[in-house]
Amino acid sequence: MDINVQHYLNRTADEQVKHFDQLTTPAAVADTEAMVAALQPLADAVVDAVNQGELIRATLTLQGTEPTLISFETGIINLPLANAKKVGGFFEADEIVPVNVYLVTENKFLNASGLRIDELATTDDFVAKAVAYTQLAATTAVEQVAHITEEAAKPAPVVKEVPANKAKTTKKTTRRTTAKKTTTKRKTTAKKSTTTRKRTTAKKAAK
């Protein structure tokens, strides 16, 4: 399945994207086999959408205090459909590009951004080998959920509180600036003693 970049931007902006949603719990998808079973309806929805030439976001929500969202999304670059408007900076509007299927995982304990997106395959390859790609997605998702569970169980960092009545003392440092006395050296001009020789003119005696 290929798509014109401008057409892709228009469809995502106008919400012309199919949605498929399913709920479960982390405990119900603790191993790869259980995750495969949970992701299978999502994979089927993606295959149907691709066969109809539609874009789709199929999401499995793992319910809890901090829900984890695992989605199959169709797109043209490894950006979630929610950020599709940024795609224009990577392509020319009139380009025809292949549509891919991405595995998108969202949870604040996953990483610093709370988001991870992995390219699975082109839509054509996904349709042809849906079972294999669902298995791959399930293996990745189980690892990510285990990581999220481990991070969520860690105690929150302790923040030391400063007592409100403790006044902040600022030490004022006064720097004494000593002005240096500038001594101007006087140039001593030696007086040149000019000795004028008196020319003694001998009076010539008149003969």
Side-chain angles (χ1 to χ4, degrees), residues 13 25 39 67 70 93 101 118 125 135 140 143 146 155 158 161 175 199 206:
T25 63
L39 291 178
I70 300 169
V101 179
D118 298 284
D125 283 347
Q135 177 75 38
T140 304
E143 290 172 1
V158 179
E161 287 186 18
R175 188 179 282 178
R199 195 182 278 174

Side-chain angles (χ1 to χ4, degrees), residues 6 11 16-17 34 49 66 82 93 107 129-130 146 148 189 196-197 202 205:
Q6 190 57 60
R11 286 170 71 174
Q16 293 178 33
V17 176
E66 290 293 337
N107 185 290
K129 303 170 187 174
I148 290 165
T189 310
T196 309
R197 280 189 185 174

Side-chain angles (χ1 to χ4, degrees), residues 141-158:
V142 166
E143 290 172 1
Q144 292 176 356
V145 171
H147 173 73
I148 290 165
T149 304
E150 187 181 329
E151 289 299 308
K154 288 181 180 178
V158 179

Side-chain angles (χ1 to χ4, degrees), residues 68-88:
T68 299
L69 275 59
I70 300 169
S71 307
F72 285 142
E73 289 189 2
T74 51
I76 60 176
I77 195 171
N78 61 336
L79 283 172
L81 283 167
N83 298 332
K85 61 183 177 183
K86 294 180 182 177
V87 167

Side-chain angles (χ1 to χ4, degrees), residues 9 12 16 32 34 42 62 75 79 82 99 109 112 117 125 131 133 155 164 170 186 189 196 204:
L9 291 170
T12 51
Q16 293 178 33
T32 306
L42 279 70
L62 277 54
L79 283 172
V99 179
F109 293 107
I117 180 165
D125 283 347
V131 173
Y133 285 116
T170 309
R186 274 192 186 174
T189 310
T196 309
K204 284 187 179 179

